[in-house]
Amino acid sequence: MSARRASRREFLKLTGAGVAGSTFAASASSYARILGANDRIGVGIIGFSDRVRSSLIPAFLKSAAELNFEFVGLSDIWNRRREEGAAYIAKLSGKQVALARNNEELYENKNVQAVMVGTADFQHAFHGVEAIRAGRDAYVEKPLAHTMEDAQAIRNAVKGSDRVFAVGTQRRSSPTYQRAYEFIKSGQFGEIVSVEMTWNVNQPGRWRRPKLVPQLREADTDWKRYLISHPYEPFDARKYLEFRLFWPFSSGIPDQWLVHQIDTVHWFTGLPRPRSVVANGGIYKWRDGRKNWDTMTAVFDYGPLDDLSKGFQVIYSSRMTNSDGGIKELYFSNGGTLNLDKNEITPEGGLTEKFAAEMGMQANSLPAVSLTNAAAAASTAADTGADDMTVANVRNWLECIRSRKTANAHIDAGYSHSIALCMTVAAIQTGQRVTFDDAKQQVVVGGRS
């Protein structure tokens, strides 16, 4: 995980609306002149994290040879991770990569034309901005950002560039989810009246690294770089390796899981954000020093921003103390249910013909529709491997680098899930109902932005 040390003010200044000038290393035209359509494209890794090891590298290698891409570099501020990353890539691909102690060194390598960012949650936007400013195409893991300052910074950087950018919300590249989207957009499903989402696990060690924490010494990494633009605090190996348990390094459940599922609400409906959010929860079981909740429920109000007479509710719940229920995504209309656990649309729960007739109404019951013949359900396991959705999302990014088209999981999608995430974090931290000011692009708590 790497970043140059920068103040918050400097970071935001460098990523403002004027970033699109000569700061970028390559324009679309120069890119086309330098890189032929069939030339091999070199990709660098920023942060050899568990997600990179278990999912992004295998997913990349599924398509790399066919599309003529290869790994050529790896940046990580911890010497152990650099060495392990190089060995892992060599084992899977048979090729050696150039190692960099930080991202400045990585971007000095002209063979690195694109990067995959898999660093700590709070670093994603910063490292994405670095990549764009260095003229590289970028694939950045989710969440895009859990503060509005960072979300605006990365959106401004991408919008002011010609780089191909993708976020790691891989449902957008899943054929099953794409079929669900098309069915909803066709009008056959009817108006959404409610959405229920869950993400449940029962893993005491989830996000814990008890054996590794004692092995991390401050002398072997760069703690100040790790903190990026956050205020300095003394070295803490747990906040480095178990960052998902500690705000402001992560919000935990919302950063990791909520953004995946709430992103589909924005995608399926075309709505840019929730109208309001409330949340409740706490640390009910795993009292191990963590600061982020192990159990939570958030309730979202969605609908047209200019018409409060229309809308629907989204209920999101997650617990790390009992896995019953697993991952569920249920969309309800008056005619039936879209079940993205079973990957089917059914008339279940829809208005019955008998009751409709009694009320002089049309039943409008949904037909039974299978969204896939070979569904690959989302997994709650920590190490999901190169799952089909991640493989598809990474491939889409690689194809878009070739075509210079917009990726499925584009910057606007990432910005929308960041708004929902920031609203949820504010609701968790304040216990109040949270809204959003579109003019200021700021979260509003208790009527104050």
Side-chain angles (χ1 to χ4, degrees):
M1 290 169 276
S2 171
R4 65 180 178 82
R5 182 69 174 152
S7 69
R8 170 65 59 178
R9 180 178 297 177
E10 181 183 12
F11 174 47
L12 297 176
K13 180 179 179 181
L14 289 173
T15 56
V19 76
S22 60
T23 57
F24 294 98
S27 66
S29 59
S30 63
Y31 191 98
R33 288 196 302 271
I34 295 170
L35 190 65
N38 298 314
D39 291 338
R40 182 164 296 174
I41 297 175
V43 176
I45 292 171
I46 297 176
F48 184 63
S49 60
D50 291 341
R51 172 65 178 171
V52 168
R53 175 190 57 79
S54 68
S55 298
L56 295 189
I57 289 176
F60 174 88
L61 292 175
K62 288 274 188 179
S63 300
E66 178 188 350
L67 299 177
N68 206 11
F69 285 78
E70 66 176 351
F71 284 128
V72 295
L74 185 151
S75 168
D76 200 295
I77 57 176
W78 186 10
N79 55 11
R80 172 173 174 161
R81 287 272 171 82
R82 287 197 300 274
E83 295 163 3
E84 289 177 345
Y88 185 71
I89 293 171
K91 177 182 177 181
L92 294 187
S93 69
K95 297 179 181 179
Q96 299 294 325
V97 296
L99 299 182
R101 294 171 298 177
N102 52 59
N103 291 347
E104 291 92 324
E105 288 186 1
L106 181 73
Y107 292 131
E108 288 173 359
N109 184 347
K110 302 307 178 184
N111 293 322
V112 176
Q113 297 155 304
V115 296
M116 303 183 79
V117 176
T119 50
D121 293 350
F122 75 106
Q123 298 173 331
H124 291 168
F126 187 93
H127 289 154
V129 169
E130 278 190 328
I132 299 302
R133 288 183 56 78
R136 269 62 171 198
D137 299 319
Y139 184 103
V140 177
E141 262 304 313
K142 57 81 201 145
L144 182 64
H146 63 213
T147 71
M148 285 309 302
E149 287 181 325
D150 286 355
Q152 290 165 20
I154 183 63
R155 184 183 65 166
N156 288 343
V158 174
K159 292 285 191 179
S161 78
D162 53 23
R163 299 298 86 203
V164 174
F165 184 88
V167 185
T169 43
Q170 58 265 18
R171 280 165 168 72
R172 287 185 177 250
S173 292
S174 161
T176 297
Y177 281 81
Q178 289 171 347
R179 292 188 191 102
Y181 166 79
E182 292 297 337
F183 190 88
I184 290 173
K185 297 304 288 184
S186 73
Q188 298 176 70
F189 188 66
E191 291 185 357
I192 295 170
V193 296
S194 182
V195 181
E196 294 179 8
M197 297 175 161
T198 63
W199 197 303
N200 299 325
V201 303
N202 190 357
Q203 299 174 14
R206 191 62 172 255
W207 305 336
R208 292 291 310 277
R209 302 292 182 270
K211 293 182 180 179
L212 192 58
V213 165
Q215 300 177 39
L216 175 60
R217 302 183 308 157
E218 185 174 4
D220 294 331
T221 188
D222 190 331
W223 176 245
K224 289 183 178 180
R225 280 184 181 271
Y226 177 79
L227 293 174
I228 54 172
S229 55
H230 284 260
Y232 177 79
E233 60 179 275
F235 175 75
D236 187 329
R238 288 197 69 189
K239 292 179 179 177
Y240 191 109
L241 293 169
E242 300 178 347
F243 60 87
R244 292 189 179 98
L245 304 178
F246 303 99
W247 179 263
F249 304 97
S250 174
S251 66
I253 289 171
D255 268 41
Q256 280 299 293
W257 298 329
L258 181 145
V259 293
H260 274 307
Q261 295 181 309
I262 210 69
D263 177 60
T264 66
V265 177
H266 301 154
W267 178 24
F268 290 174
T269 65
L271 297 170
R273 62 167 178 83
R275 294 191 295 209
S276 69
V277 186
V278 293
N280 206 330
I283 301 171
Y284 296 127
K285 178 64 177 177
W286 306 126
R287 299 177 182 89
D288 52 8
R290 70 181 64 200
K291 299 301 181 182
N292 292 330
W293 291 353
D294 63 18
T295 305
M296 68 162 287
T297 297
V299 181
F300 301 82
D301 173 53
Y302 274 93
L305 302 183
D306 59 354
D307 187 355
L308 299 183
S309 69
K310 299 178 180 178
F312 58 94
Q313 187 179 76
V314 176
I315 300 175
Y316 176 88
S317 65
S318 179
R319 61 178 178 268
M320 304 178 73
T321 55
N322 185 296
S323 61
D324 189 31
I327 297 176
K328 302 291 184 184
E329 291 172 69
L330 302 170
Y331 283 76
F332 302 100
S333 74
N334 191 241
T337 302
L338 189 161
N339 186 323
L340 284 161
D341 174 43
K342 297 179 179 179
N343 294 317
E344 64 183 15
I345 299 168
T346 70
E348 186 174 349
L351 184 64
T352 64
E353 291 187 10
K354 178 181 179 182
F355 186 79
E358 291 175 355
M359 299 296 293
M361 301 167 61
Q362 184 77 26
N364 192 30
S365 183
L366 290 174
V369 177
S370 174
L371 295 172
T372 177
N373 293 323
S379 172
T380 60
D383 186 346
T384 59
D387 62 277
D388 291 344
M389 287 192 287
T390 300
V391 170
N393 208 44
V394 170
R395 182 182 179 91
N396 173 255
W397 175 62
L398 298 178
E399 291 174 338
C400 288
I401 290 176
R402 290 289 182 193
S403 67
R404 311 313 293 169
K405 293 181 179 179
T406 301
N408 291 335
H410 48 79
I411 187 61
D412 289 330
Y415 190 73
S416 282
H417 86 225
S418 295
I419 294 176
L421 174 57
C422 292
M423 292 173 70
T424 303
V425 170
I428 288 171
Q429 293 177 345
T430 67
Q432 297 190 51
R433 180 176 179 271
V434 174
T435 57
F436 194 77
D437 186 324
D438 286 306
K440 295 180 180 179
Q441 289 295 290
Q442 291 294 334
V443 169
V444 177
V445 180
R448 297 182 178 181
S449 58

